[in-house]
Amino acid sequence: MNYAGEVVVLDSGSHSTKLGFSGESLPRIVIPTRYHGRRPIVGGRIDLWDRVQEMWLEMLRRDLSVEPGDHAVLLTESPGEEACDRERKAELFLRDWTCRGSPLRHSRC
């Protein structure tokens, strides 16, 4: 099936990361939030930006077989996420990876 242009949903928390396409009832991938033995997200806050960026890009390419620039990516955020972290995520997905869009939603919605 061709998923070109579909919205990718990415939910990264301290314990697990879920990835899939909007409109599907379940995520395609659910894995522990660990990258090369390290936990890049602790207490809902990204501590290791370089590791989480590598993890996200690898998941998108390897697990979903998509390039970020071909899709909008819906990101979740923890309730206490700081504005600077939201801004950094938006810059990564919109500017660096040229995603078609990257709205943020609270993970409890």
Side-chain angles (χ1 to χ4, degrees):
M1 185 171 232
N2 182 0
Y3 289 97
E6 292 288 323
V7 176
V8 172
V9 180
L10 176 62
D11 180 5
S12 286
S14 298
H15 300 287
S16 66
T17 295
K18 298 174 266 316
L19 182 67
F21 291 102
S22 65
E24 295 183 344
S25 58
L26 296 171
R28 295 215 170 186
I29 295 103
V30 179
I31 62 168
T33 304
R34 293 192 181 276
Y35 194 70
H36 295 293
R38 305 277 311 269
R39 292 180 58 201
I41 302 174
V42 178
R45 183 127 200 266
I46 298 173
D47 285 341
L48 301 171
W49 277 95
D50 58 335
R51 299 267 173 132
V52 83
Q53 288 174 36
E54 292 170 14
M55 180 183 77
W56 288 339
L57 194 55
E58 185 176 304
M59 290 178 70
L60 289 164
R61 289 180 171 160
R62 183 193 65 212
D63 298 325
L64 284 187
S65 300
V66 301
E67 285 297 319
D70 296 338
H71 299 270
V73 179
L74 174 66
L75 302 167
T76 61
E77 62 179 22
S78 63
E81 188 162 31
E82 295 181 18
C84 61
D85 289 338
R86 272 193 304 276
E87 190 173 307
R88 192 162 178 185
K89 278 187 199 177
E91 285 177 2
L92 172 68
F93 281 88
L94 294 172
R95 186 191 65 204
D96 298 348
W97 292 349
T98 62
C99 290
R100 294 181 180 190
S102 189
L104 297 164
R105 296 288 182 255
H106 286 290
S107 60
R108 293 191 178 173
C109 293

